[in-house]
Amino acid sequence: MHVIKATNRPDARTMLISFLNQQEPELASFLQTLWHNQGRAITYKELREAILNGSISPAWLQQWQQDYAQFVSRHLRPLWLVAMQNAAKRLQAQYPGWRFDAMADGVQRWTANRGAAFVTNSTNAQLQGLQAVIHHAANSGMNVDVLARAIRPMVGLTYQQSIANANYMQTLITNGMSKKKAVDKAIRYAARQHRYRGYNIARTELAFAYNQGTLEWARQAQEAGYLGKAVKIWRSARDERTCETCMRLHGMEIPLNEPFPFSTRLSGLDVRLAPPAHPSCRCALDIEEVEPPQLREDARYDIIEEIPQDMRGYMRSDGSFDLERAKQDYTAFLQTVPEKNRAMLVQSLEAVTFTQMALPDTAFGYLGKEDAICYDLSKEEFADYNFNVVLTHELAHRIDKYFVRSPEIKTFSDAIRDARAVLDADPEMFIAFAENDSHGFLSDVLSAICEDDYRFLTYHEKAYWLHSGNKEKELFANLFALESFRDEKTLSFLKKCFPRMLSVYESFLI
């Protein structure tokens, strides 16, 4: 039986803590800045009115909700996705032909629900905290202006923190300290409380996302046929700092979609499916396969190999082209493509349209003005094309048009010009290396560099290369396709021969 042991991978909890240590400080800093700005946005006049009325303005609530929604969009959601990808990276090395999809429905559903819960929970906690301290202030008998100055820095604290701060200030005054000095000390205390709360939230939210990424990785891997029946395992530290709940859960193995048996005051969608068990918890989730998948491991690429090698496999008996079946097979092929390329190809495939029309010089092409992949069934060469090859190339043109714009990048044009001198120095070497170019990407790269002065298996006529921007567009599309097809031999050859050109290209996709 093929069983993947957790010990063959980096320790789940060690990797989680390493990630948290890297990412917590910045996220905590963003939160402290948010609370500081929220406090400054409330005027002393508004605070005095709130203290006298014993309640806060509804406008504050609305603004806080908007603030937290923007915080989720700008800071929290991007870091959630980074956390998930880091968790998946630890696990997916066993399956080099498959990649975790950070844009999958399960990921998007979790981040949307978690974001909504964060906005609601943060706003409510802030409301309860400020209401408590305003109520406390209204009954204290202290000067309203002094209280307003003390309360403003408390915006963002929880109920318990706000009451603790108010009691601290009152105790200082009761013990003989001047009100001004007591307020100054309370303000400094609030800053420490904000820092503590910021780190607490950052650690909890990042741990949520990291462990959800582990769980989502397992679900995706099972759906793709790479992972068989599996269990999830709770990993705790098991030291004097570990709480009873986490100590009891350590090592527990249960099915992927069952909740762990513990009570928690954390809220959110399926909150007990994975750690954390409580705020600031640093327990981790691990996955272990207990039965191999129904699809044999050596057959996992059979699906890809069964995809027709040319268009004849997609031609119907009436001579029409089965585009939908070809697109379905292309989606399966994309599971073998490197993640950064696949994400852009998937996005472009969903957005682009397909049009059957007469084309002057080719059977396939991308028309930028129409944002369409066009194909011409009347061309004799149509049947000989490989759909995966031509579609990857044409979608790369779309990616260039909308996200890169390679003809506008002077460093790329200069690097292509410099590459010409290298090719001219030994053209026979390049012609020999390209003799077995099965997809045509390499040949077209070399044809662009030499402007068809040397003829390769795949080429454009010289007039095409002399048209401004065409060399840059075709080179980007072919280099992107070489990466997508994982042609490391060709890419290494090109990088050795044309390091500057490849370096500029690689900078496009960072």
Side-chain angles (χ1 to χ4, degrees), residues 183-469:
V183 168
D184 290 341
K185 283 186 172 292
I187 290 173
R188 289 195 290 272
Y189 181 32
R192 295 195 299 272
Q193 289 175 304
H194 277 129
R195 186 175 186 278
Y196 173 82
R197 187 171 185 234
Y199 270 86
N200 195 11
I201 290 174
R203 180 172 302 166
T204 305
E205 291 301 327
L206 292 173
F208 259 127
Y210 190 96
N211 289 310
Q212 185 66 30
T214 298
L215 184 59
E216 182 64 22
W217 172 89
R219 289 169 172 167
Q220 290 185 21
Q222 282 186 332
E223 185 176 352
Y226 287 85
L227 182 69
K229 183 179 179 180
V231 294
K232 57 186 179 184
I233 308 169
W234 191 289
R235 304 291 188 191
S236 299
R238 295 188 64 79
D239 57 29
E240 66 277 1
R241 297 174 57 192
T242 306
C243 69
E244 287 187 15
T245 297
C246 295
M247 189 73 77
R248 177 174 55 82
L249 291 169
H250 176 71
M252 184 175 291
E253 300 182 9
I254 63 173
L256 295 183
N257 294 318
E258 286 190 13
F260 284 99
F262 67 93
S263 299
T264 181
R265 59 190 178 93
L266 296 172
S267 60
L269 179 68
D270 298 329
V271 71
R272 291 188 295 120
L273 286 177
H278 53 79
S280 214
C281 175
R282 299 208 291 181
C283 293
L285 193 71
D286 208 350
I287 303 295
E288 187 164 340
E289 188 179 58
V290 295
E291 291 181 13
Q294 295 299 311
L295 185 63
R296 303 186 324 275
E297 184 168 356
D298 60 1
R300 287 174 178 163
Y301 290 94
D302 288 352
I303 295 174
I304 307 303
E305 292 171 359
E306 290 171 4
I307 293 175
Q309 296 303 300
D310 57 44
M311 295 300 180
R312 294 177 182 85
Y314 298 119
M315 301 305 296
R316 300 188 183 98
S317 57
D318 63 358
S320 62
F321 175 51
D322 191 346
L323 175 63
E324 290 308 311
R325 183 187 158 210
K327 288 167 64 178
Q328 289 175 2
D329 285 349
Y330 186 74
T331 300
F333 157 75
L334 286 176
Q335 295 304 312
T336 70
V337 172
E339 183 177 359
K340 67 174 181 178
N341 302 70
R342 178 165 57 90
M344 289 184 280
L345 288 168
V346 167
Q347 183 180 7
S348 288
L349 181 62
E350 291 175 350
V352 79
T353 58
F354 287 80
T355 304
Q356 180 181 341
M357 62 180 291
L359 297 171
D361 303 314
T362 182
F364 280 90
Y366 171 69
L367 298 186
K369 290 183 179 179
E370 290 78 10
D371 193 21
I373 303 288
C374 302
Y375 58 96
D376 187 350
L377 296 178
S378 69
K379 293 288 191 296
E380 291 184 6
E381 65 268 26
F382 179 88
D384 295 324
Y385 277 109
N386 179 298
F387 189 72
N388 293 341
V389 170
V390 294
L391 185 55
T392 299
H393 181 87
E394 302 306 337
L395 289 177
H397 279 310
R398 185 183 190 276
I399 291 165
D400 188 15
K401 172 181 170 61
Y402 285 99
F403 303 106
V404 178
R405 298 186 178 130
S406 62
E408 300 175 13
I409 300 173
K410 185 176 183 298
T411 54
F412 195 41
S413 302
D414 291 344
I416 296 169
R417 184 195 61 230
D418 293 345
R420 171 65 190 261
V422 177
L423 198 155
D424 282 341
D426 191 358
E428 290 79 10
M429 188 251 312
F430 290 95
I431 293 170
F433 189 85
E435 280 183 354
N436 298 315
D437 181 17
S438 59
H439 295 141
F441 304 139
L442 170 63
S443 296
D444 210 24
V445 165
L446 299 175
S447 178
I449 292 172
C450 73
E451 299 177 349
D452 195 43
D453 283 347
Y454 310 103
R455 183 55 58 89
F456 295 90
L457 295 174
T458 300
Y459 61 93
H460 286 79
E461 300 287 351
K462 191 174 188 67
Y464 178 80
W465 294 129
L466 295 180
H467 191 279
S468 178

